[in-house]
């Protein structure tokens, strides 16, 4: 009898090494998430957030902690996580689409390496801006809790904090690259996943404590748990669905070689962009939110912006819905360009049955549009579930954000992608995967 997939995972040396390497790197990442930056009294800091647990400061910190795995409230060296890197990626991707000369440069030999270098430089700039805002935020906390900053020289503390946080963020990006290159892939997404999963036990513990204390109705907690299970099922169902476009290739001769014809298909997922739109939308909103909240005490209009961009407010959620839809279309056009796909089909002597050759691009664009809109609306609906739970059941923010929305999409999406990669490695070494037929998507 064949061994179980879990046993097979550790029988394959390449896969075993990749798994252990990923676990080791994730352990290093979690260690950096609890190391407080120099000059901060961690005990007073935690007391501050406990004291103002229902205030705007804690709400903002809980939102930032969502992506940093609890590192923001601790003012750790990894408190910015990978969000500056993602924000820079968004800016560069938009620039490549808007500016044709940049796009042509990126398509030249060595162009992608140049784009990666620009991304790194841009990430450093974004980190410097965000870490500078963090020093202002820390000073505001120190005014309410004297002794939170142990250095009397503010300039020295500010320079040290900016340098530490910027370096920590770049190390986080490097860690993500190592997981992608030598681990089981999806390095940046894996770090976000690790941060979310690390906070789930404490969130569930807090939920149980609130239920036992009578702060949350048991019936509401059970309804929310049922919703959580249903949403997971919907996400798995949506992520595994795809539309197969048949492509027929005629028999052709190139030089002395004869290529036999055949029929294959182009798989288009229901949601072609995966969890990228929701990560991009969150990163896009995190940057102004952090600046507005960090400088709110210095400018009235920034305080108003901070209130408007409350992560559990309707204005924030409406903006997030539009951004998710926008990034779903944008990212799909970048990764699945119908013009390039149609050109490739024609150059290889292929055609889509019943579709004229000159209408291939138009047909592919039509199919993608029909998939992207419902897929992005589904993502947007899932994203606002924490707001619904918060408003209906009056759950604490730390619980509602982890029991639905972005957290579930990232956790389930990254898990499915990781399982698919492990499945492929097992099949490559002639072992059974997680199912006898493999992780095959549903054809719609």
């Amino acid at each position: 009898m064949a061994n179980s997939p879990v046993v097979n995972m550790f029988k394959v040396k390449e896969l075993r090494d990749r798994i252990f390497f990923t676990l080791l790197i994730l352990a290093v990442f979690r260690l950096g998430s609890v190391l407080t930056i120099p000059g901060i009294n961690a005990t007073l800091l935690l007391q501050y957030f406990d004291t103002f647990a229902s205030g705007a400061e804690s709400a903002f910190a809980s939102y930032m902690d969502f992506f940093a795995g609890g590192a923001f409230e601790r003012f750790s060296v990894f408190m910015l996580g990978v969000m500056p890197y993602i924000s820079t990626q968004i800016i560069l991707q938009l620039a490549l689409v808007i500016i044709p000369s940049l796009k042509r440069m990126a398509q030249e030999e060595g162009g992608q390496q140049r784009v990666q270098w620009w991304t790194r430089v841009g990430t450093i700039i974004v980190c410097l801006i965000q870490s500078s805002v963090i020093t202002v935020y820390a000073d505001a906390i120190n005014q309410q809790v004297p002794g939170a900053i142990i250095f009397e020289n503010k300039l020295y503390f500010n320079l040290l904090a900016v340098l530490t946080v910027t370096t920590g963020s770049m190390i986080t990006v490097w860690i993500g690259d190592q997981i992608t290159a030598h681990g089981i892939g999806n390095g940046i997404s894996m770090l976000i996943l690790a941060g979310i999963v690390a906070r789930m036990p404490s969130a569930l513990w807090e939920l149980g404590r609130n239920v036992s204390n009578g702060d949350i109705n048991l019936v509401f907690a059970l309804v929310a748990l049922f919703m959580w299970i249903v949403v997971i099922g919907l996400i798995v169902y949506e992520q595994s669905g795809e539309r197969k476009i048949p492509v027929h290739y005629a028999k052709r001769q190139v030089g002395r070689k004869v290529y036999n014809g055949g029929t294959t298909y182009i798989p288009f997922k229901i949601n072609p962009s995966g969890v990228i739109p929701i990560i991009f939308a969150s990163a896009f909103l995190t940057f102004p939110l952090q600046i507005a909240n960090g400088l709110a005490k210095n400018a009235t209009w920034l305080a108003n912006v901070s209130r408007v961009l409350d992560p559990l407010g309707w204005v924030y959620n409406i903006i997030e819905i539009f951004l998710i839809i926008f990034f779903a279309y944008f990212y799909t056009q970048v990764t699945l360009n119908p013009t390039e796909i149609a050109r490739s089909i024609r150059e290889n002597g292929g055609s889509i049955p019943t579709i004229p050759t000159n209408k291939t691009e138009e047909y592919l664009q039509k199919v993608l549009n029909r998939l992207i809109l419902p897929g992005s609306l589904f993502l947007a609906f899932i994203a606002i579930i924490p707001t619904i739970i918060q408003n209906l059941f009056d759950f604490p923010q730390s619980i509602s954000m982890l029991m639905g929305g972005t957290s579930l999409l990232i956790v389930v999406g990254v898990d499915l992608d990781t399982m698919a990669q492990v499945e492929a490695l097992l099949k490559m070494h002639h072992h059974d995967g997680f199912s006898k037929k493999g992780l095959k998507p549903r054809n719609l």
Side-chain angles (χ1 to χ4, degrees):
M1 185 174 64
N3 290 324
S4 69
V6 176
V7 174
N8 289 336
M9 285 168 54
F10 292 96
K11 287 177 66 176
V12 179
K13 185 179 185 304
E14 179 188 357
L15 183 55
R16 183 175 66 245
D17 291 344
R18 286 179 175 272
I19 291 174
F20 284 140
F21 180 83
T22 301
L23 293 176
L24 176 62
I25 292 296
L26 289 178
V28 173
F29 170 69
R30 291 306 305 159
L31 177 63
S33 300
V34 298
L35 293 177
T36 306
I37 63 175
I40 291 290
N41 187 319
T43 303
L44 290 180
L45 192 69
L46 291 176
Q47 290 177 358
Y48 167 80
F49 285 114
D50 288 340
T51 303
F52 296 94
S54 60
E57 294 88 349
S58 183
F60 166 71
S62 295
Y63 175 78
M64 296 297 297
D65 267 343
F66 169 75
F67 298 102
F72 191 86
E73 282 191 359
R74 295 188 180 95
F75 270 66
S76 79
V77 294
F78 290 166
M79 66 185 301
L80 291 181
V82 295
M83 300 314 284
Y85 177 74
I86 297 175
S87 300
T88 307
Q89 276 191 319
I90 296 171
I91 296 171
L92 277 177
Q93 290 294 336
L94 288 171
L96 289 174
V97 173
I98 296 172
I99 306 174
S101 59
L102 287 179
K103 184 177 181 180
R104 287 193 298 270
M105 183 277 301
Q107 293 173 343
E108 295 174 356
E109 185 178 353
Q112 288 302 317
Q113 287 78 3
R114 244 176 296 178
V115 172
Q116 283 294 324
W117 185 80
W118 289 347
T119 305
R120 295 292 193 277
V121 174
T123 302
I124 294 175
I125 295 173
V126 173
C127 286
L128 290 174
I129 295 172
Q130 289 188 278
S131 56
S132 298
V133 173
I134 284 173
T135 61
V136 179
Y137 183 63
D139 185 62
I141 294 176
N142 189 59
Q143 292 177 15
Q144 298 187 53
V145 185
I149 299 177
I150 61 177
F151 291 144
E152 294 183 1
N153 190 324
K154 288 186 178 180
L155 178 61
Y156 177 72
F157 168 75
N158 291 345
L159 291 175
L160 185 61
V162 168
L163 178 62
T164 303
V165 173
T166 300
T167 303
S169 188
M170 296 308 297
I171 291 175
T172 305
V173 174
W174 179 82
I175 286 175
D177 290 341
Q178 297 310 302
I179 294 177
T180 301
H182 307 292
I184 53 178
N186 298 325
I188 299 298
S189 298
M190 285 291 292
L191 294 181
I192 299 176
L193 169 68
I196 295 172
V197 172
R199 297 196 65 208
M200 281 187 172
S202 61
L204 292 175
W205 174 264
E206 185 179 355
L207 176 62
R209 186 181 61 188
N210 288 339
V211 170
S212 63
N213 293 339
D215 297 330
I216 295 178
N217 190 297
L218 177 60
V219 176
F220 289 170
L222 292 176
V223 170
L225 183 61
F226 175 76
M227 289 175 59
W228 186 66
I229 296 173
V230 169
V231 169
I232 290 178
L234 289 174
I235 294 172
V236 173
Y237 185 82
E238 184 261 354
Q239 291 285 337
S240 62
E242 65 179 22
R243 171 75 181 276
K244 296 180 178 180
I245 309 297
V247 179
H248 177 73
Y249 290 96
K251 185 175 180 180
R252 61 196 179 97
Q253 182 173 348
V254 179
R256 295 184 179 182
K257 266 193 171 182
V258 177
Y259 294 88
N260 293 325
T263 300
T264 182
Y265 66 88
I266 303 173
F268 285 159
K269 287 188 175 182
I270 295 180
N271 177 27
S273 52
V275 297
I276 294 298
I278 203 164
I279 294 177
F280 274 20
S282 299
F284 194 84
L285 285 170
T286 297
F287 188 55
L289 177 62
Q290 183 183 358
I291 293 176
N293 194 280
L295 303 178
K297 291 180 169 43
N298 298 335
T300 304
W301 70 274
L302 284 175
N304 294 331
V305 171
S306 178
R307 282 192 296 270
V308 169
L309 289 181
D310 179 6
L312 292 178
W314 289 110
V315 173
Y316 175 92
N317 282 273
I318 290 173
I319 296 174
E320 185 178 30
I321 288 172
F322 282 107
L323 284 175
I324 289 172
I325 296 173
F326 167 75
F327 283 122
Y329 277 94
F330 169 75
Y331 192 77
T332 302
Q333 290 296 322
V334 171
T335 57
L336 294 173
N337 191 322
T339 304
E340 295 178 0
I341 296 175
R343 185 189 303 118
S344 176
I345 292 174
R346 288 192 298 268
E347 289 176 352
N348 289 280
S351 63
I352 299 176
T354 73
I355 304 298
T357 305
N358 61 342
K359 296 288 185 181
T360 302
E361 179 183 344
E362 181 181 339
Y363 173 74
L364 293 175
Q365 185 66 66
K366 184 178 180 181
V367 172
L368 278 176
N369 288 339
R370 287 180 174 179
L371 292 174
I372 296 171
L373 182 59
S376 61
L377 290 176
F378 175 81
L379 287 179
F381 169 72
I382 299 298
I384 63 174
I385 284 181
T387 302
I388 297 174
I389 293 177
Q390 176 79 8
N391 292 332
L392 287 181
F393 305 132
D394 196 26
F395 277 21
Q397 184 181 10
S398 59
I399 297 175
S400 62
M401 288 189 67
L402 290 174
M403 289 194 66
T406 306
S407 61
L408 284 187
L409 281 167
I410 294 175
V411 169
V412 175
V414 176
D415 280 346
L416 290 176
D417 288 343
T418 303
M419 287 176 64
Q421 293 190 44
V422 172
E423 180 89 9
L425 284 170
L426 286 174
K427 295 293 184 182
M428 186 175 68
H429 289 85
H430 310 291
H431 287 283
D432 288 335
F434 295 99
S435 65
K436 291 184 178 180
K437 295 182 179 180
L439 295 173
K440 292 185 178 179
R442 294 174 295 103
N443 185 23
L444 300 178

